[in-house]
Amino acid sequence: MSGRVLVGVKRVIDYAVKIRVRPDKTGVVTDGVKHSMNPFCEIAVEEAVKLKEKKLIKEVVAVSCGPQQAQETIRTALAMGADRGIHVEVTGKDYDTLGPLQVSKILAALAKKEDAQLVILGKQAIDDDCNQTGQMTAALLDWPQGTFASEVSMEGDKVKVVREIDGGLETVKINIPAVVTADLRLNTPRYATLPNIMKAKKKKIANVKPADLGVDLTSRLEVLRVDEPPQRQAGMKVETVDDLVGKLKETGHI
Amino acid sequence: MFPARYSSKAHRCIQALKIKQAELAVPQLYTTLHRRTCSSGTAPRITTHYTIHPRDKDPRWEGIEMERFADEADVVIVGGGPAGLSAAIRLKQLANEHEKELRVCLVEKASQIGAHTLSGACLEPSALTELFPDWKERGAPLNTPVTEDVFSILTEKHRIPVPMLPGLPMRNHGNYIVRLGNFVRWLGEQAEELGVELYPGYAASEVLFHEDGSVKGIATNDVGIAKDGSPKDIFERGMELHAKVTLFGEGCHGHLAKQLYKQFNLRENCEPQTYAIGLKELWTIDEKKWRPGRVEHSVGWPLNRNTYGGSFLYHLNEGEPLVALGFVIGLDYSNPYMSPFREFQRWKHHPFVAPTLEGGHRIAYGARALNEGGLQSIPKLTFPGGLLIGCSPGFMNVPKIKGTHTAMKSGMLAAEAIFSKITAENVDSETTGLHVPEYSDSLKSSWVWKELYSVRNIRPSFHNYFGLYGGMIYTGIFYWILRGKEPWTLKHCGLDANQLKPAKDCTPIDYPKPDGKISFDLLSSVALSGTNHEGDQPPHLTLKDDSVPVARNLGIYDGPEQRFCPAGVYEYVPLETGDGMRLQINAQNCVHCKTCDIKDPSQNINWVVPEGGGGPAYNGM
């Protein structure tokens, strides 16, 4: 086993920033807006680094797809303990339409190329909330998947994953190589402290183009329009059940 | 950094609930009329920060590794604003010119350069042209030359126009309306290209000293301390950055500068600094109302003649119909019932202002304190191992309301003064940290000093019975006609914190309710600033004495901090036991404006820097 873990990190608009829809309704304003690493990706990086510290794996490789600024996100992952980074350069129109399908194709290609034994991702990104990339990557690679992980442990040539599901917790044992996606309670990510950021500047980030990996980035989706959520209308207070029924009839709901 | 223990969806829910709470409930302003007797028992513990409760005496910290990693640079600069970045750029320019190697490190508490920058702003390009004569080719974001300059005195319903004659300080001919955050970001890019090491997201939290008392450098903030002051699993010490000289460019009322004043007695021969608070919003407006290059200033309503302040409204020309507008109020006001935020909101309804905003959409909000002391309040600028630059010592030209050009120039002069000293083979220095008094001398013989000298009496001239009108007459005679050459220098009134009158001597102000279209409530405004902090850390608004707020601030002044804070950090809420009130500090809302540290009548609040990366997320403010 190569002992290599691939971790995907995504650069997203910071969760505390108020989102504004662009005047032309084609998307949201991103220019100059504060961005940071997707919180679930931070958890994924932390888990990978923890596995390395426990000597269960040998190398952590951080991957991000996007324009030049994605390198900052990779640097943060390197500062948290990843060994090297891969920046898959995607810009312009391709970046606007970049979605889980394209990213999972890229990750699948990289996982094969790097001979990774584990791919750890965040369960979803906070900008699109898709929750698809991990699952698609596993399917493209034909690898088993342990998603919504709240606990991960390596047991020989298998990985035991405790998954958070609607009914409670489900424990699965899956063969390596596998894809794991991190949920909130998996761990508490460490800070990327300044000495580590300085050291991270010396770590390598390789530059790769999607074409080099043989990946076709054309999207199957077309965004027609982006709108702000409708303003919440004021409610009405009624005194009795009859009033309620009357109002519902009036507004055509029943 | 890691968010509080909620998913992003939950966070948005909580945010929405907070807004709804503000809309539904009457704000928890506790007036003396309804006050029950405050419990005289021990106040609940509010402050847990280690600057108030040292860790070496705290049993929870026994055995924790407190060693810090240290690194050496030639120059360390605290603060990535116009002054700090100009100094860094100038140093690297000189190093390249003279083919010398120079390691310049700059730390900035905001998560990205420009995220904590807030200003009107009408930039005077003088200092920029000195720094980069080719700034236009380099793409500096000065896109809006001033085309129209309008000044008004407002009354409740009307407006008295005042002609902007050449020679008046407020005239903006030749200047540019800029989004200072974008300009600072551009400066950061120029600095990086020149090889400056920029570290946004890391706050300088401690000044380090050599054994001989000179400044050795700074240490960045520790991370991973829980809200109750105990260490978390992910606790890590900050890092030490040592330098031959450290430049402090923290902006108005910096927290490290506050310590340095005491340490080196830098303020013994100058007046206390006097401040104002500036609140600002960005609006996209109806295209028909948009007049790019138009600059509007006003004084008068809604302030009375004895409260210094006024408004600005600038039409930017950056593609979309954007206006930057805001309100500035001198923090030497005396009525504890005054709320700068609500004055700003009600000013927007004036018949001269509201039409511009009708049909528009507010997209940003923020606030920051600014200096008004001018020449009289400039402290000693140099000390062994360090210098003060920019708005930290305070070079703002108050009547022009411009401080960026002087801040930049001070940074450049600092760089020039220290360059020869730090690259010399054998430096003749008494102390290990270099002392560079030449900086002070070169500043005093520069245009900065001349400019500040000529306007030194304008702000203090407002302290007369006629207030605003007396000040304007003084300006007209002594500045416009006599160019500030009068032989006397007027004094300020002392500390802003001492100007508040007790609540019983003042009348509460009846502010109109926000209409949700032009004026807004506080919490939805704070949400627009994008401010956030790691929730599980000690509140960085520290109190020297936890019992003083209820006993003194609330008792005598009716809790002015719940009104002057532009972010809703301070709230007086009833005690759970039902008897009396307590101060609740919502540290996560803080927008780092520093007003509380300045205006607290008990001077009990000490603002210290929170974990780096926290604070507002301004975008081109």
Side-chain angles (χ1 to χ4, degrees):
Chain A
M1 282 273 99
S2 70
R4 195 169 291 132
V5 170
L6 214 64
V7 181
V9 294
K10 186 176 180 186
R11 179 175 180 263
V12 297
I13 295 181
D14 187 86
Y15 72 91
V17 170
K18 208 123 212 268
I19 307 286
R20 188 163 70 99
V21 174
R22 276 207 287 260
D24 59 7
K25 303 229 185 263
T26 56
V28 299
V29 176
T30 53
D31 208 28
V33 175
K34 177 178 174 186
H35 283 69
S36 39
M37 191 191 290
N38 184 36
F40 297 108
C41 298
E42 284 181 356
I43 299 173
V45 173
E46 176 65 22
E47 196 57 27
V49 175
K50 273 199 165 68
L51 288 174
K52 189 175 91 159
E53 285 171 348
K54 288 193 207 139
K55 306 235 196 296
L56 295 167
I57 56 146
K58 295 208 202 81
E59 196 188 17
V60 177
V61 182
V63 182
S64 193
C65 309
Q68 184 66 15
Q69 295 100 315
Q71 295 209 2
E72 290 164 20
T73 314
I74 301 177
R75 287 261 175 247
T76 310
L78 294 173
M80 286 171 74
D83 297 293
R84 60 186 167 88
I86 300 177
H87 171 213
V88 181
E89 224 181 296
V90 181
T91 53
K93 278 250 104 178
D94 283 336
Y95 183 60
D96 290 337
T97 55
L98 192 69
L101 182 60
Q102 293 76 22
V103 175
S104 51
K105 284 181 185 170
I106 292 171
L107 289 175
L110 280 171
K112 283 206 211 96
K113 185 157 171 260
E114 297 285 333
D115 191 25
Q117 74 181 63
L118 208 58
V119 174
I120 309 183
L121 307 173
K123 73 169 178 182
Q124 66 195 59
I126 61 171
D127 52 6
D128 53 21
D129 281 338
C130 280
N131 195 328
Q132 297 164 3
T133 308
Q135 292 85 338
M136 283 180 175
T137 311
L140 287 168
L141 288 164
D142 200 23
W143 288 4
Q145 52 184 268
T147 52
F148 309 103
S150 68
E151 219 183 286
V152 172
S153 42
M154 314 268 284
E155 297 185 357
D157 60 344
K158 294 199 206 293
V159 184
K160 188 171 98 174
V161 179
V162 177
R163 306 179 58 229
E164 295 200 3
I165 61 173
D166 288 343
L169 297 172
E170 179 192 53
T171 310
V172 294
K173 228 187 240 189
I174 52 179
N175 293 329
I176 292 173
V179 174
V180 172
T181 70
D183 205 328
L184 194 65
R185 279 157 280 272
L186 181 55
N187 59 48
T188 306
R190 66 196 63 192
Y191 288 86
T193 53
L194 187 54
N196 291 331
I197 286 275
M198 287 179 170
K199 283 189 206 135
K201 291 214 167 159
K202 302 199 183 79
K203 293 185 185 173
K204 287 186 59 125
I205 299 181
N207 212 297
V208 173
K209 300 226 168 37
D212 301 340
L213 300 168
V215 170
D216 167 27
L217 289 179
T218 42
S219 178
R220 283 17 173 205
L221 301 173
E222 188 194 332
V223 172
L224 297 176
R225 215 169 90 162
V226 178
D227 277 312
E228 290 211 1
Q231 289 276 23
R232 185 147 161 220
Q233 299 297 327
M236 271 183 284
K237 262 193 157 154
V238 291
E239 295 297 309
T240 68
V241 177
D242 290 327
D243 284 347
L244 175 62
V245 175
K247 278 268 184 286
L248 286 172
K249 283 201 175 130
E250 222 177 85
T251 51
H253 284 89
I254 50 167
Chain B
M1 287 297 118
F2 186 67
R5 294 188 185 286
Y6 306 112
S7 69
S8 55
K9 280 218 183 73
H11 247 286
R12 279 176 254 160
C13 279
I14 291 164
Q15 205 66 307
L17 278 170
K18 277 206 192 116
I19 293 166
K20 277 285 167 263
Q21 199 176 51
E23 283 169 17
L24 296 171
V26 173
Q28 290 272 5
L29 295 187
Y30 202 65
T31 67
T32 41
L33 289 171
H34 305 292
R35 186 164 63 106
R36 295 172 232 148
T37 0
C38 290
S39 73
S40 56
T42 45
R45 167 102 155 222
I46 302 173
T47 303
T48 52
H49 202 271
Y50 62 80
T51 49
I52 307 286
H53 300 284
R55 287 175 289 195
D56 49 4
K57 299 192 183 63
D58 192 330
R60 299 171 300 186
W61 286 87
E62 254 190 72
I64 301 282
E65 179 60 59
M66 296 299 263
E67 269 280 330
R68 276 190 290 224
F69 185 78
D71 203 359
E72 305 279 332
D74 291 298
V75 182
V76 164
I77 301 177
V78 176
L85 288 168
S86 300
I89 289 170
R90 193 76 194 104
L91 278 169
K92 276 303 203 177
Q93 284 177 342
L94 287 167
N96 292 342
E97 244 177 82
H98 292 89
E99 286 172 0
K100 292 246 157 81
E101 286 286 324
L102 207 61
R103 186 172 182 209
V104 180
C105 290
L106 188 150
V107 287
E108 161 59 45
K109 63 174 162 57
S111 55
Q112 51 194 56
I113 302 279
H116 286 185
T117 303
L118 183 139
S119 182
C122 281
L123 181 69
E124 211 180 274
S126 49
L128 176 62
T129 313
E130 283 183 36
L131 189 64
F132 287 120
D134 57 344
W135 55 259
K136 214 180 180 127
E137 288 76 45
R138 284 173 178 262
L142 275 66
N143 303 316
T144 314
V146 175
T147 54
E148 264 185 279
D149 218 333
V150 173
F151 195 90
S152 330
I153 302 176
L154 298 181
T155 63
E156 191 171 344
K157 298 240 172 20
H158 304 286
R159 158 189 182 249
I160 305 166
V162 175
M164 268 294 106
L165 304 163
L168 279 174
M170 302 290 283
R171 213 170 109 95
N172 275 298
H173 184 71
N175 297 334
Y176 292 83
I177 307 173
V178 295
R179 294 174 70 171
L180 196 64
N182 290 348
F183 178 69
V184 168
R185 198 168 50 178
W186 173 84
L187 276 179
E189 286 162 16
Q190 304 307 305
E192 262 195 319
E193 262 177 49
L194 285 166
V196 176
E197 287 178 51
L198 294 178
Y199 296 113
Y202 297 97
S205 66
E206 198 185 318
V207 183
L208 304 168
F209 297 95
H210 289 289
E211 268 172 27
D212 61 10
S214 61
V215 170
K216 186 168 156 185
I218 53 102
T220 59
N221 58 283
D222 295 346
V223 292
I225 305 179
K227 203 165 175 144
D228 62 5
S230 62
K232 294 196 276 202
D233 287 333
I234 43 175
F235 169 76
E236 262 190 72
R237 275 292 253 169
M239 175 175 162
E240 294 189 7
L241 280 171
H242 301 165
K244 298 180 184 144
V245 188
T246 310
L247 273 62
F248 292 87
E250 297 170 286
C252 175
H253 206 77
H255 80 112
L256 291 182
K258 208 173 159 189
Q259 289 174 32
L260 291 166
Y261 295 148
K262 272 209 211 82
Q263 180 83 16
F264 293 105
N265 220 351
L266 301 171
R267 298 205 75 99
E268 60 185 338
N269 291 322
C270 68
E271 288 196 47
Q273 183 65 261
T274 164
Y275 301 89
I277 179 176
L279 301 107
K280 177 182 172 181
E281 287 173 357
L282 280 178
W283 283 64
T284 47
I285 56 171
D286 189 341
E287 235 184 290
K288 297 193 232 39
K289 319 254 174 88
W290 183 40
R291 316 219 340 222
R294 181 177 164 92
V295 162
E296 287 176 29
H297 290 115
S298 83
V299 291
W301 190 84
L303 300 175
N304 64 32
R305 66 167 194 269
N306 290 109
T307 306
Y308 185 82
S311 75
F312 63 88
L313 196 152
Y314 305 146
H315 292 245
L316 287 153
N317 189 3
E318 305 213 341
E320 45 170 354
L322 203 62
V323 296
L325 65 150
F327 210 79
V328 173
I329 299 188
L331 284 177
D332 58 349
Y333 67 82
S334 55
N335 186 346
Y337 291 106
M338 154 102 75
S339 161
F341 173 77
R342 300 191 82 170
E343 298 288 353
F344 174 36
Q345 297 302 314
R346 81 166 156 171
W347 163 77
K348 285 188 278 177
H349 283 287
H350 189 275
F352 186 63
V353 184
T356 312
L357 301 177
E358 258 142 35
H361 192 57
R362 183 175 76 152
I363 62 170
Y365 164 82
R368 183 75 170 89
L370 44 121
N371 304 295
E372 301 225 312
L375 206 72
Q376 295 92 317
S377 303
I378 298 179
K380 190 155 174 290
L381 296 166
T382 64
F383 42 90
L387 290 80
L388 299 171
I389 56 176
C391 275
S392 182
F395 301 114
M396 197 174 109
N397 182 329
V398 180
K400 263 198 205 175
I401 42 170
K402 289 180 179 41
T404 310
H405 62 310
T406 48
M408 287 176 71
K409 183 65 176 169
S410 72
M412 289 155 62
L413 290 173
E416 284 158 14
I418 67 182
F419 181 71
S420 44
K421 278 206 154 154
I422 51 175
T423 50
E425 287 295 313
N426 300 308
V427 182
D428 183 23
S429 178
E430 284 176 7
T431 52
T432 324
L434 292 178
H435 191 190
V436 191
E438 291 83 348
Y439 160 58
S440 217
D441 300 329
S442 72
L443 199 63
K444 290 199 174 112
S445 46
S446 72
W447 53 259
V448 173
W449 216 259
K450 275 198 214 52
E451 196 178 311
L452 292 178
Y453 184 79
S454 64
V455 297
R456 73 198 181 288
N457 285 325
I458 296 185
R459 177 69 177 90
S461 70
F462 280 71
H463 298 304
N464 63 74
Y465 180 72
F466 295 103
L468 170 71
Y469 304 109
M472 291 182 76
I473 295 170
Y474 186 96
T475 308
I477 302 170
F478 289 101
Y479 183 78
W480 190 51
I481 300 175
L482 297 178
R483 315 308 295 158
K485 291 198 172 63
E486 67 271 31
W488 56 83
T489 300
L490 299 174
K491 280 187 164 9
H492 299 298
C493 293
L495 269 187
D496 287 334
N498 297 337
Q499 306 305 318
L500 276 183
K501 296 207 186 88
K504 60 176 169 52
D505 297 336
C506 302
T507 30
I509 304 177
D510 191 18
Y511 289 106
K513 266 180 110 72
D515 73 345
K517 293 203 203 56
I518 295 191
S519 53
F520 300 91
D521 65 293
L522 186 61
L523 286 181
S524 56
S525 308
V526 176
L528 267 186
S529 69
T531 192
N532 195 33
H533 296 84
E534 161 61 51
D536 195 14
Q537 65 173 308
H540 63 280
L541 294 326
T542 65
L543 303 171
K544 295 193 198 118
D545 181 342
D546 280 352
S547 61
V548 165
V550 171
R552 201 161 177 270
N553 289 26
L554 187 61
I556 304 175
Y557 302 99
D558 199 50
E561 57 268 60
Q562 56 189 339
R563 295 187 188 90
F564 62 54
C565 174
V569 169
Y570 300 97
E571 266 186 297
Y572 282 97
V573 295
L575 279 169
E576 281 81 2
T577 54
D579 196 34
M581 303 295 273
R582 65 175 179 91
L583 177 65
Q584 178 171 283
I585 297 183
N586 305 314
Q588 278 185 281
N589 286 11
C590 182
V591 292
H592 298 205
C593 76
K594 315 293 175 62
T595 302
C596 55
D597 195 313
I598 294 165
K599 190 60 176 170
D600 176 12
S602 315
Q603 287 291 277
N604 189 36
I605 300 173
N606 192 36
W607 189 98
V608 298
V609 78
E611 276 179 18
Y618 296 143
N619 181 9
M621 280 292 259

